[in-house]
Amino acid sequence: MRSSIEIFNIRTRENRVLWQTEQLFEAPNWSPDGRYLMLNCDGRMYRLALEEATVPQPVDTGFAIRCNNDHGISPDGTLIAISDKCEFDKSAIYVLPAVGGEPKLVTKNLPSYWHGWSPDGTRFTYCGIRDQVFDIYSIPVDGGEERRLTFGEGRNDGPDFSADGEWIYFNSSRTGRMQIWRVPAEGGAAERITDSEYGDWFPHPSPKGDKVVFVSYDGEVFDHPRDLDVRVRLMDMDGGNVETLFELFGGQGTMNSPNWAPSGDEFAYVRYFPLP
């Protein structure tokens, strides 16, 4: 596959290509200072500078060299969260300095897949699989007891915090097809946001608190596979004014983790092209 790292501006409705490669890069996070994207490739983490034409530079993640596409940067830019399988052969969430260093384990219950950082930088939200049940959890960045936010109502996955920290948006199959829901960050009843013909995944609320971007598969597609024609869609925080921004070949890896620019005007994603 050829990976094309791209940016879309929701105000001008224009996109631009940053960099392309024949390697499989995934899930761009935008740094809080706006200077680089962080992505994963072949189990490693990389930074791609935005202001100059260059190639991604590797991030030292110590022993963690089986990182997946569930990762992100702290709101103050000093830490990164990764999900890696090296230590336990199951995905565990770690935190380490953004400049690189030795990872510190956060989640003792496994497998756990990181997905979002609270705006105040104190908590993670993630998908945890416990006895084959996929649910949404949160936990302090320093570790401790996890807070369960969903309770086996179908498969629950892909959580991310709203800009005010009050809600966690996620996707759930509790009504059959995967749709977007949200639950209070402190716990409570979940609220359905989308009611579409598609399978909706990976909602990412804007840092402006006005929009949510997400990926939509054809309705009959199960899970979130790669290498399919999908749609990148945008909606208001309450699910209103849903629109398809563009279609692309992708899915898994396109934007699994938080991908908005600090301004809330742009987001990053990966488009894939089959190699001849």
Side-chain angles (χ1 to χ4, degrees):
M1 300 298 300
R2 180 182 299 277
S3 305
S4 180
I5 317 303
E6 303 182 7
I7 289 172
F8 185 87
N9 189 301
I10 66 170
R11 315 301 173 188
T12 66
R13 300 305 170 104
E14 296 176 340
N15 80 304
R16 67 184 191 273
V17 176
L18 287 179
W19 183 71
Q20 293 182 326
T21 177
E22 293 186 2
Q23 294 177 285
L24 180 64
F25 274 79
E26 299 180 303
N29 308 130
W30 207 309
S31 66
D33 63 9
R35 299 179 62 184
Y36 69 89
L37 301 180
M38 187 174 74
L39 308 98
N40 63 285
C41 175
D42 291 334
R44 305 297 183 99
M45 302 303 305
Y46 292 84
R47 292 190 193 89
L48 177 62
L50 291 166
E51 296 181 356
E52 56 191 57
T54 184
V55 297
Q57 299 300 309
V59 178
D60 175 15
T61 55
F63 66 82
I65 56 173
R66 296 173 66 191
C67 299
N68 60 39
N69 52 31
D70 300 321
H71 47 72
I73 309 167
S74 66
D76 65 4
T78 63
L79 300 171
I80 59 176
I82 59 172
S83 304
D84 182 83
K85 295 177 65 174
C86 278
E87 194 171 12
F88 306 102
D89 203 34
K90 293 181 180 180
S91 179
I93 299 172
Y94 300 85
V95 65
L96 63 147
V99 296
E102 199 66 16
K104 175 186 174 183
L105 180 66
V106 177
T107 54
K108 296 179 181 179
N109 295 331
L110 307 176
S112 294
Y113 300 86
W114 188 92
H115 277 284
W117 214 306
S118 65
D120 64 5
T122 64
R123 297 188 71 87
F124 294 152
T125 185
Y126 56 99
C127 172
I129 307 175
R130 312 289 180 255
D131 297 323
Q132 303 302 312
V133 178
F134 290 70
D135 272 312
I136 307 304
Y137 296 84
S138 73
I139 196 170
V141 171
D142 293 332
E145 294 300 318
E146 60 183 15
R147 176 188 296 158
R148 188 175 183 179
L149 298 169
T150 62
F151 298 88
E153 313 92 333
R155 176 174 176 174
N156 303 290
D157 204 344
D160 196 2
F161 279 93
S162 61
D164 59 11
E166 293 185 5
W167 294 95
I168 291 175
Y169 284 69
F170 65 101
N171 44 270
S172 177
S173 66
R174 63 187 64 197
T175 55
R177 183 179 296 124
M178 195 66 80
Q179 299 286 276
I180 306 302
W181 292 68
R182 67 181 181 183
V183 64
E186 297 298 320
E191 174 184 341
R192 184 170 181 169
I193 301 298
T194 63
D195 185 3
S196 76
E197 62 183 305
Y198 304 119
D200 297 332
W201 280 83
F202 303 128
H204 300 303
S206 161
K208 281 190 174 180
D210 60 341
K211 295 290 183 178
V212 179
V213 68
F214 58 105
V215 172
S216 293
Y217 289 86
D218 288 347
E220 67 274 12
V221 175
F222 177 75
D223 210 339
H224 52 97
R226 66 174 75 256
D227 304 345
L228 292 176
D229 293 319
V230 298
R231 305 146 194 85
V232 173
R233 299 208 291 162
L234 189 73
M235 64 182 175
D236 294 342
M237 300 296 290
D238 63 0
N241 297 311
V242 183
E243 58 178 318
T244 297
L245 297 176
F246 53 89
E247 298 182 357
L248 54 71
F249 187 70
Q252 169 78 310
T254 290
M255 52 182 213
N256 295 57
S257 54
N259 59 334
W260 282 97
S263 67
D265 294 331
E266 298 179 301
F267 61 85
Y269 60 96
V270 185
R271 182 192 304 270
Y272 298 101
F273 296 95
L275 291 174

